[in-house]
Amino acid sequence: MVTCTDIRKSYGNLEVLKGVDLSIDAGEVVSIVGASGAGKTTLLQLLGTLDKPSSGQISIDGSDVLAMNEKQLSQFRNTKIGFVFQFHQLLPEFTALENAILPSLIRGDSRKKAEKKAKELLSFLSLNHRLEHKPAELSGGEKQRVAVARALVNEPAVVFADEPSGNLDSHNQEELQKLFFDLRSEFNHTFVVVTHDYHLAEMCDRVIEIKDGLISN
Ligand SMILES: Nc1ncnc2c1ncn2[C@@H]1O[C@H](COP(=O)(O)OP(=O)(O)OP(=O)(O)O)[C@@H](O)[C@H]1O
Ligand SMILES: [Mg+2]
């Protein structure tokens, strides 16, 4: 599903990734751990096509993403990749339902089709009683679940999450992590989750540690 070969990334003289090889299967829930500054976010941004490596190869769902131009990439991201960030990045003036349907509308789906899928997800995420709430009227965990629904609405091949529970309390952190497994069981999604928390990481199928610019396990 996601394969990268000999990924290197430098910022000026600073070589952050020094030849990372990684292969993630469809339906896997994988965590990426490592010290602050180890290069977790860098790797996730490269895998998520938000940035380009200095060298190496990346294939997602059978496509060579480094061979695509910006237009092809933005369409690929919209349909194949879901993102969940530490801070939910919901649009404040839109309701939970409106936020969740946006990627679907951008793809060109009808509002009816978009709402059907988003409501199914929001209901699965126990948010069916909060559809008309704006982000300011939602709890932290609820906001993050809306962000998860938004990431999943186009049924992406893979979901990348960068410390998705970083601003939640420990109960909600664990709930969100469990949710990834429920979603995998229900929809067979693939998740790559960056976390600082080794307890959360160990709940995953596989833990990948980045150390000194390489995968150390
Ligand atoms: N745009 C950039 N320009 C220069 N250096 C950068 C840039 N982005 C990141 N870095 C450096 O690259 C290294 C890796 O950063 P990255 O954000 O990937 O770390 P991380 O593992 O996600 O850390 P954290 O756990 O603190 O989020 C850091 O030393 C950082 O200072
Ligand atoms: Mg980071």
Side-chain angles (χ1 to χ4, degrees):
M1 175 56 66
V2 178
T3 314
C4 70
T5 315
D6 199 21
I7 290 292
R8 292 165 190 270
K9 178 70 179 177
S10 299
Y11 297 109
N13 292 332
L14 178 69
E15 195 178 23
V16 178
L17 300 177
K18 301 177 182 172
V20 170
D21 295 310
L22 186 59
S23 181
I24 295 164
D25 293 332
E28 260 197 304
V29 181
V30 173
S31 65
I32 297 179
V33 298
S36 179
K40 304 180 297 296
T41 295
T42 301
L43 178 61
L44 211 70
Q45 301 245 333
L46 297 177
L47 296 178
T49 77
L50 297 171
D51 196 2
K52 287 199 193 303
S54 309
S55 67
Q57 278 149 15
I58 302 174
S59 156
I60 296 175
D61 201 23
S63 297
D64 176 359
V65 295
L66 298 177
M68 294 183 189
N69 63 32
E70 271 311 313
K71 193 167 172 231
Q72 292 167 323
L73 267 184
S74 61
Q75 192 179 5
F76 186 82
R77 274 196 293 270
N78 174 253
T79 54
K80 298 283 188 178
I81 300 178
F83 292 101
V84 185
F85 299 101
Q86 176 170 8
F87 299 99
H88 53 80
Q89 295 179 340
L90 299 175
L91 298 176
E93 66 274 30
F94 289 110
T95 65
L97 181 62
E98 287 166 344
N99 268 285
I101 64 175
L102 269 182
S104 182
L105 296 181
I106 289 168
R107 179 170 71 176
D109 293 339
S110 69
R111 181 140 189 146
K112 195 173 162 203
K113 182 178 176 200
E115 287 197 358
K116 184 169 181 286
K117 180 68 191 171
K119 280 181 180 168
E120 178 192 331
L121 280 166
L122 289 165
S123 164
F124 189 79
L125 299 169
S126 309
L127 284 166
N128 39 340
H129 55 311
R130 294 285 186 274
L131 300 182
E132 302 305 325
H133 285 233
K134 292 187 175 167
E137 301 158 352
L138 296 168
S139 73
E142 287 171 345
K143 279 193 276 248
Q144 208 48 309
R145 298 208 298 284
V146 174
V148 171
R150 180 185 56 185
L152 295 176
V153 74
N154 282 351
E155 301 181 32
V158 56
V159 179
F160 295 109
D162 196 353
E163 298 193 53
S165 56
N167 65 339
L168 300 176
D169 62 44
S170 58
H171 172 73
N172 274 305
Q173 281 187 5
E174 196 150 330
E175 289 296 305
L176 187 66
Q177 191 81 348
K178 284 182 183 151
L179 207 59
F180 293 150
F181 292 96
D182 296 344
L183 287 160
R184 185 259 300 272
S185 309
E186 183 78 11
F187 305 105
N188 198 39
H189 284 301
T190 309
F191 287 93
V192 183
V193 187
V194 167
T195 180
H196 266 116
D197 187 323
Y198 281 77
H199 170 67
L200 294 179
E202 279 168 5
M203 291 165 65
C204 294
D205 300 331
R206 191 146 59 98
V207 182
I208 291 163
E209 182 172 16
I210 304 185
K211 203 173 168 188
D212 301 326
L214 293 166
I215 287 176
S216 71
N217 53 341

